[in-house]
């Protein structure tokens, strides 16, 4: 299926636990992104990667890390989850970073 | 600080009504403005606008950009219940990161 696959779909996580959100795309897009979406705040960029092997910080990077070992995968890790990280997380990709992004279906994460 | 502001935050209309959603921006190194529709899950792409005054249309939806006044509008004519969604405006900079507005929640009732 062409597009972006995110996993898990939803997760309840105890505070202090480590969690990795998975994101895989099969469109061979160079650029990938992680956003979080919170009520009243819209979509905010956490981290991005312009190409495999490079990553950069977005607007709200604290508490999150990413890696881009290859073109297809862009996992997001919460080293020690806190309740303020309760959110819906979207992974997205774009071809050369220009034009419309393709979004995954999101991961709803609740940290308790 | 770069920002994208959408209005209204929320809109409730009846089927058949016409709605106009607004998006204003203050962004350095502007490259394009994009509109997305978000229903239950992933935002889906509607329009990308790069030039002022050129209307983009897709069925009952249309959008236009004013780069002098730094805003865009999204029009939906003859609304249907299936148009109920959050409409997101985003601005792309030359650094290729999208900045999103908070969205407009549209509810269309029969």
């Amino acid at each position: 299926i062409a597009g972006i696959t995110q996993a898990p779909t939803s997760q309840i996580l105890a505070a202090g636990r480590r969690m990795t959100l998975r994101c895989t795309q099969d469109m061979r897009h160079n650029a990938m992104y992680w956003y979080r979406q919170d009520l009243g705040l819209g979509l905010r960029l956490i981290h991005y990667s312009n190409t495999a092997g490079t990553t950069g910080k977005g607007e709200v990077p604290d508490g999150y890390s990413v890696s881009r070992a290859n073109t297809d995968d862009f996992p997001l890790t919460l080293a020690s989850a806190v309740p303020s990280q309760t959110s819906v997380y979207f992974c997205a990709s774009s071809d050369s970073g220009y034009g419309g992004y393709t979004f995954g279906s999101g991961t709803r994460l609740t940290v308790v | 600080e770069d920002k994208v502001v959408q209005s209204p935050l929320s809109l409730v209309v009846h089927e058949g009504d016409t709605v106009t959603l607004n998006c204003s921006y203050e962004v350095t190194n502007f490259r394009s403005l994009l509109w997305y529709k978000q229903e239950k899950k992933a935002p889906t792409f509607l329009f990308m606008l790069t030039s002022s005054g050129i209307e983009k249309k897709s069925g009952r939806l249309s959008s236009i950009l004013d780069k002098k006044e730094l805003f865009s509008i999204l029009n939906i004519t003859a609304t249907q219940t299936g148009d109920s969604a959050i409409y997101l405006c985003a601005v792309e900079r030359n650094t290729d990161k999208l900045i999103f507005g908070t969205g407009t929640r549209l509810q269309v009732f029969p």
Side-chain angles (χ1 to χ4, degrees):
Chain A
I1 299 176
I4 295 182
T5 302
Q6 288 187 238
T9 303
S10 66
Q11 181 76 44
I12 299 174
L13 185 68
R17 297 295 295 268
R18 180 184 180 90
M19 174 78 189
T20 295
L21 308 185
R22 300 185 298 278
C23 174
T24 299
Q25 55 112 349
D26 62 2
M27 298 171 286
R28 308 303 293 173
H29 283 173
N30 288 324
M32 297 187 75
Y33 313 86
W34 275 105
Y35 285 87
R36 59 177 289 173
Q37 186 174 32
D38 303 288
L39 193 63
L41 296 174
L43 283 155
R44 294 180 293 167
L45 182 65
I46 305 171
H47 285 288
Y48 65 92
S49 169
N50 289 331
T51 188
T54 69
T55 62
K57 294 182 180 180
E59 183 184 356
V60 288
D62 294 343
Y64 305 95
S65 64
V66 292
S67 62
R68 187 90 184 277
N70 56 61
T71 297
D72 298 343
D73 300 301
F74 191 44
L76 176 74
T77 297
L78 289 68
S80 179
V82 294
S84 62
Q85 292 177 311
T86 294
S87 187
V88 180
Y89 291 86
F90 286 99
C91 180
S93 71
S94 69
D95 190 13
S96 300
Y98 182 69
Y101 288 15
T102 300
F103 284 85
S105 296
T107 294
R108 181 175 294 277
L109 180 67
T110 303
V111 182
V112 297
Chain B
E1 183 180 333
D2 293 343
K3 62 180 179 181
V4 178
V5 178
Q6 291 186 247
S7 64
L9 292 179
S10 178
L11 197 51
V12 179
V13 300
H14 288 289
E15 274 192 319
D17 288 349
T18 293
V19 297
T20 298
L21 310 183
N22 303 293
C23 176
S24 63
Y25 62 92
E26 292 178 26
V27 172
T28 55
N29 300 313
F30 174 90
R31 185 155 73 175
S32 65
L33 185 144
L34 300 97
W35 285 96
Y36 288 85
K37 177 182 181 181
Q38 184 178 24
E39 296 176 85
K40 296 212 182 299
K41 291 193 173 179
T44 54
F45 175 76
L46 293 175
F47 298 113
M48 183 173 74
L49 304 159
T50 56
S51 301
S52 277
I54 298 176
E55 186 182 53
K56 294 273 184 100
K57 282 181 71 75
S58 176
R60 295 175 294 102
L61 278 65
S62 64
S63 184
I64 197 162
L65 173 67
D66 186 327
K67 291 170 73 173
K68 181 179 178 184
E69 300 298 329
L70 307 183
F71 78 91
S72 173
I73 59 172
L74 175 68
N75 278 323
I76 308 175
T77 59
T79 52
Q80 301 172 358
T81 55
D83 294 327
S84 296
I86 296 173
Y87 290 83
L88 298 167
C89 172
V91 172
E92 185 175 33
R93 300 170 292 185
N94 286 331
T95 53
D96 76 40
K97 310 302 174 292
L98 284 184
I99 303 173
F100 282 86
T102 54
T104 293
R105 179 180 294 274
L106 174 66
Q107 294 176 276
V108 182
F109 287 98

